[in-house]
Amino acid sequence: MANTYWSTIASRRVSRRRALALTGSTALAAGLLAACGGDDDDGSSSGASKDASSLVTQPTDETKNLKRGGVLVNRTTSEPNTLEPHLFPGNFTSQDTYSGLWLIKDGHLSYTTGEIEGDVVESWELSPDKLTITAKINPNAHFAPVAPVNGRSVDAQDVVATFQRHKSVSNQRAEFANEINPNAPVVSVTATDARTVVIKLNEPNAAITALLARGTPGSMFVVPKEALDKNVLDLARTSAGSGPWYVTDYAQGIGYRYKPNPGYKQTKDAIPYIDEMNWPTVAEYASFLAQFRAGAIHLAAGIRAEDVLPTKRDLPQLELMPTYYSTRIQRPGFGAAPESPFRDERLRQAWMMTIDRDLYLETMFNLANYREAGLPVDVLWESGLQSDMYEGWVLDARDEKAFGPNAKYFKYNLDEAKKLVAAAGQSVPMEADLTLPARQSVRNVSYWDGLEALFGMTAESGVFKVNLRLLDNYDAEWVPRYHNQSTNQFSGVTISLSSLAQDPATYLHSYYNSKGALRQGTDSTLDDLTTKMVREFDTKKRMEIGFEIQRYEGQKMYFPRIGGATGFSLGWPAVRNRDVHRGGTMRRYTTLWLDQEKPPFKSA
């Protein structure tokens, strides 16, 4: 493949499908193209005018006009294989159905900055030595109206039982429990009375409330004390959290339904506003798009970027809204086993330099079509943090002044990549095993969306000869060995997935500290920096350490990210308050409401 191959494609402003097709001189990419359907050569199928600002609807807080009730329909592709909240990655409903002790506050008409507020906790104090948190339980926090808890109040013993259960059953427990991992922060959780919880820490930790606010599967969600006995309450089968919703119906391959938890921590304006959320499992993209266009699905979650403008063109009544950065979930991971050649950072750097980030992000996010339509978009090259992290915390590796000399490793440069491989004592092209989960085994169907184009660049670069190995069992084979290397190590390369935005300090510690539950690789410098970051209570100084980690990872490329971009989302006009609350612990569905007088319920 000539060095100008991908830049030639970019200059033609090909659509995402076209880029995938050209990447796919391999049979795998051809298969993905066939699954996508047709093709357009110049990206002009949107039919949009050069000035399309009138197409855009800005998010507006319309809570003062709200009408309660109705059923919101949204699709899922990553359905849970269990309702168990303390396991990762099995339960993707937990962030809506369970409370944490704290919340990361959503941004209001802006993106979150990471402000912390109470969830089950109403108020709290930190001791002068920063080793003890004394927290009061919110008396208005109640569990869902299901047996055996039947909507009762959350009390301090539930929090104590939660910690006991989490450190016993969670595969994320090493991130929390000091008893399991001597570097983990929480030494003990006790109760002094029905409303008072005392949390002892092993050392000062500025990110502890954010860690305990984490809304990702496997986090320390508050559960009823009855769940200590599986025969009394089996959380794998029963949704019994104290979050804003609870699951009323669930069937594998069909989907699930939510209803509001009537005892959810209430304010004077009781939330949620909607009577029910229905999330059918619609894994096949064409079926999802057809159902959204027909109004059977109300939000276009997961719509491909190249379909946004054509869908808006065909259905002008849809509301097109600007979004904050979205990220690509795929991120390469390099084998850290003693025999792995990728322990040499030069080979990791070389692999990443075979990826044309600009072309990949341009095509995957359909940015040329947006620009041609007069719609502003932006790209961000990611290092250790994903682009939808707290606003202001992510360094863009395109900005060489801010990022420093390691920005060169993010650039597409096949000549330099070949030099790095040769300098590492390897022949060019170097043979390398790439191990991935087979498409049909992955629950998150978006994992394979654009994956072949990503590794196709490397395979056709002339720098590496890629030997593709597909594992048939995602859960039993790929996840425990290749998703991270916390307990097992491998040789060669994988492409993992990660899109779980959380507090930057806990995120970087999880992915780059030697005790982190999701790491692929690390060293003593990253151990020191990530530990220092979680101990720093000054927000500005903590942010600067985060910048230093991103720059350093930009050289090491232990677990590099690709990038993200701003874009646009589509929804039916009946869904009000859309995109008003953004980021945080992802409680955005609680403040949506439905206007039954608008499409798709009634014609415009």
Side-chain angles (χ1 to χ4, degrees), residues 253-274:
I254 297 175
Y256 42 92
R257 293 177 184 270
Y258 296 105
K259 284 192 175 180
N261 174 7
Y264 177 61
K265 178 191 63 170
Q266 300 295 328
T267 63
K268 63 180 180 179
D269 298 319
I271 53 176
Y273 303 137
I274 295 170

Side-chain angles (χ1 to χ4, degrees), residues 199-217:
I199 302 171
K200 295 287 187 180
L201 306 176
N202 67 326
E203 59 189 12
N205 188 319
I208 185 60
T209 52
L211 177 65
L212 295 173
R214 197 167 78 181
T216 58

Side-chain angles (χ1 to χ4, degrees), residues 153-304:
S153 298
V154 179
D155 62 34
Q157 286 301 326
D158 293 308
V159 179
V160 173
T162 292
F163 181 61
Q164 293 174 352
R165 185 180 188 275
H166 189 270
K167 70 181 179 181
S168 174
V169 307
S170 177
N171 53 6
Q172 301 291 290
R173 59 188 180 172
E175 292 288 288
F176 296 81
N178 183 261
E179 179 183 336
I180 304 301
N181 171 10
N183 290 328
V186 183
V187 173
S188 65
V189 178
T190 57
T192 58
D193 58 49
R195 284 194 58 211
T196 307
V197 172
V198 177
I199 302 171
K200 295 287 187 180
L201 306 176
N202 67 326
E203 59 189 12
N205 188 319
I208 185 60
T209 52
L211 177 65
L212 295 173
R214 197 167 78 181
T216 58
S219 298
M220 207 177 87
F221 295 106
V222 176
V223 301
K225 50 183 172 280
E226 289 87 344
L228 290 177
D229 186 344
K230 187 176 180 180
N231 294 320
V232 176
L233 176 57
D234 184 357
L235 294 182
R237 298 175 177 271
T238 302
S239 173
S242 58
W245 307 90
Y246 68 102
V247 176
T248 59
D249 300 284
Y250 168 65
Q252 195 99 29
I254 297 175
Y256 42 92
R257 293 177 184 270
Y258 296 105
K259 284 192 175 180
N261 174 7
Y264 177 61
K265 178 191 63 170
Q266 300 295 328
T267 63
K268 63 180 180 179
D269 298 319
I271 53 176
Y273 303 137
I274 295 170
D275 283 344
E276 183 178 301
M277 292 198 301
N278 181 5
W279 289 51
T281 302
V282 187
E284 210 281 316
Y285 180 77
S287 177
F288 147 69
L289 189 56
Q291 291 187 48
F292 173 71
R293 281 173 166 264
I297 293 175
H298 303 146
L299 296 172
I303 188 171
R304 291 172 181 164

Side-chain angles (χ1 to χ4, degrees), residues 516-535:
L518 295 173
R519 64 178 169 80
Q520 284 284 3
T522 190
D523 58 23
S524 59
T525 298
L526 283 171
D527 270 354
D528 291 344
L529 287 172
T530 53
T531 299
K532 183 180 177 182
M533 188 177 181
V534 298
R535 292 177 180 173

